[in-house]
Amino acid sequence: MVKGTSNMVNRKLYVFYITATFIVLFMLESPIILIANRVEPFLLGMPFLVFWVFFWWLLCTCLFFVAYKTNWGRHSNN
């Protein structure tokens, strides 16, 4: 790869991780959660509110795991 292209890819990944993190945390902590504040319907045996929180928590965990494995936030030694 060309040296400049690597920096461009790293920058795009960095912007993606930051944007995805804000979206996930917004969905967990925003007033939008009031939409999910219902017992019915049950999804995977859980009330909708519990499923809502679990889904966004799982998505956030997966996002952080992928970011960790791709060394998000660390400067390359190139």
Side-chain angles (χ1 to χ4, degrees):
M1 259 171 126
V2 180
K3 192 173 187 178
T5 308
S6 177
N7 288 338
M8 182 74 117
V9 170
N10 289 339
R11 175 92 174 134
K12 286 183 180 182
L13 277 175
Y14 180 77
V15 169
F16 170 75
Y17 291 142
I18 292 292
T19 305
T21 300
F22 279 120
I23 289 170
V24 169
L25 292 177
F26 177 76
M27 294 304 286
L28 272 171
E29 300 295 332
S30 72
I32 294 175
I33 201 166
L34 295 175
I35 296 170
N37 194 10
R38 295 186 249 156
V39 174
E40 303 243 342
F42 278 86
L43 296 171
L44 301 175
M46 297 178 277
F48 189 67
L49 177 63
V50 175
F51 178 79
W52 177 275
V53 172
F54 182 71
F55 171 76
W56 290 108
W57 176 84
L58 184 65
L59 191 65
C60 190
T61 302
C62 292
L63 173 70
F64 288 154
F65 180 74
V66 169
Y68 171 75
K69 286 297 187 182
T70 58
N71 293 325
W72 172 37
R74 292 189 185 171
H75 296 290
S76 62
N77 293 333
N78 295 340

